């Protein structure tokens, strides 16, 4: 691990988000194992929410797939790792309301929670399975950009 990855691991342990992620993983009945770069992989997540194939709480990445499939998708793993770093930068739990505000903004602007979401854009939209925000919609009758 690099010094930055170790610092992220310590910060997310101290701010409580890794412990929250582990508690969620245990309550959801997942299998938790060590992942790369100081991350923990919780596999076989079965709860309905959130709808994503993977999501992060602190240094814990919860995957719907098994651990082999999680490790075999380095793009998604890197995307979720960047969210882990965002938890550290936001000092832990403040990340959650900030993320949901950004997701609501994105949903209002683009019709999906990721395309205009600051956190998703900085974690890598395509790696997270989100489409890029398209150009402003045009009115087919006038061929002008809608306000």
């Amino acid at each position: 691990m690099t010094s930055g990855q170790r610092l992220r691991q310590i910060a997310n342990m101290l701010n409580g988000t890794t412990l929250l992620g582990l508690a969620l993983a245990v309550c959801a009945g997942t299998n938790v194992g060590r992942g790369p770069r100081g991350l923990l992989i919780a596999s076989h997540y079965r709860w309905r929410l959130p709808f994503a194939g993977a999501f992060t709480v602190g240094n814990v990445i919860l995957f719907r797939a098994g651990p082999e499939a999680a490790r075999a998708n380095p793009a998604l793993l890197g995307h979720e790792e960047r969210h882990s770093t965002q938890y550290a930068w936001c000092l832990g739990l403040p990340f959650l309301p900030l993320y949901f505000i950004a997701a609501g903004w994105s949903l209002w602007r683009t019709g999906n929670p990721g395309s205009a979401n600051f956190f998703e854009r900085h974690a890598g939209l395509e790696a997270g399975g989100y489409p890029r925000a398209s150009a402003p919609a045009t009115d087919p009758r006038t061929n002008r950009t809608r306000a």
Side-chain angles (χ1 to χ4, degrees):
M1 260 193 315
T2 67
S3 58
Q5 291 162 348
R6 174 70 69 198
L7 181 60
R8 177 189 64 214
Q9 184 183 44
I10 293 168
N12 284 339
M13 187 60 76
L14 291 175
N15 68 35
T17 56
T18 296
L19 294 175
L20 179 63
L22 285 170
L24 178 61
V26 168
C27 289
T30 66
N31 302 319
V32 179
R34 292 197 181 276
R37 301 177 295 280
L39 301 170
L40 299 170
I41 294 178
S43 57
H44 300 294
Y45 178 82
R46 298 284 178 239
W47 288 359
R48 289 179 49 142
L49 294 175
F51 299 115
F55 68 100
T56 302
V57 180
N59 267 33
V60 181
I61 303 175
L62 295 104
F63 283 92
R64 293 194 180 279
E68 304 81 24
R71 286 185 176 87
N73 190 341
L76 181 57
L77 195 57
H79 173 89
E80 296 302 331
E81 180 179 4
R82 286 186 283 283
H83 285 314
S84 178
T85 301
Q86 291 167 351
Y87 271 96
W89 278 109
C90 291
L91 305 177
L93 292 177
F95 172 82
L96 293 172
L98 292 170
Y99 180 89
F100 290 122
I101 290 167
W105 167 258
S106 178
L107 192 60
W108 181 67
R109 298 281 300 172
T110 68
N112 75 66
S115 294
N117 181 326
F118 170 84
F119 296 102
E120 293 299 346
R121 293 179 64 81
H122 286 274
L125 288 175
E126 290 87 5
Y130 295 101
R132 286 226 169 263
S134 61
T138 57
D139 187 329
R141 296 171 289 169
T142 62
N143 203 28
R144 291 190 180 168
T145 302
R146 292 183 198 166

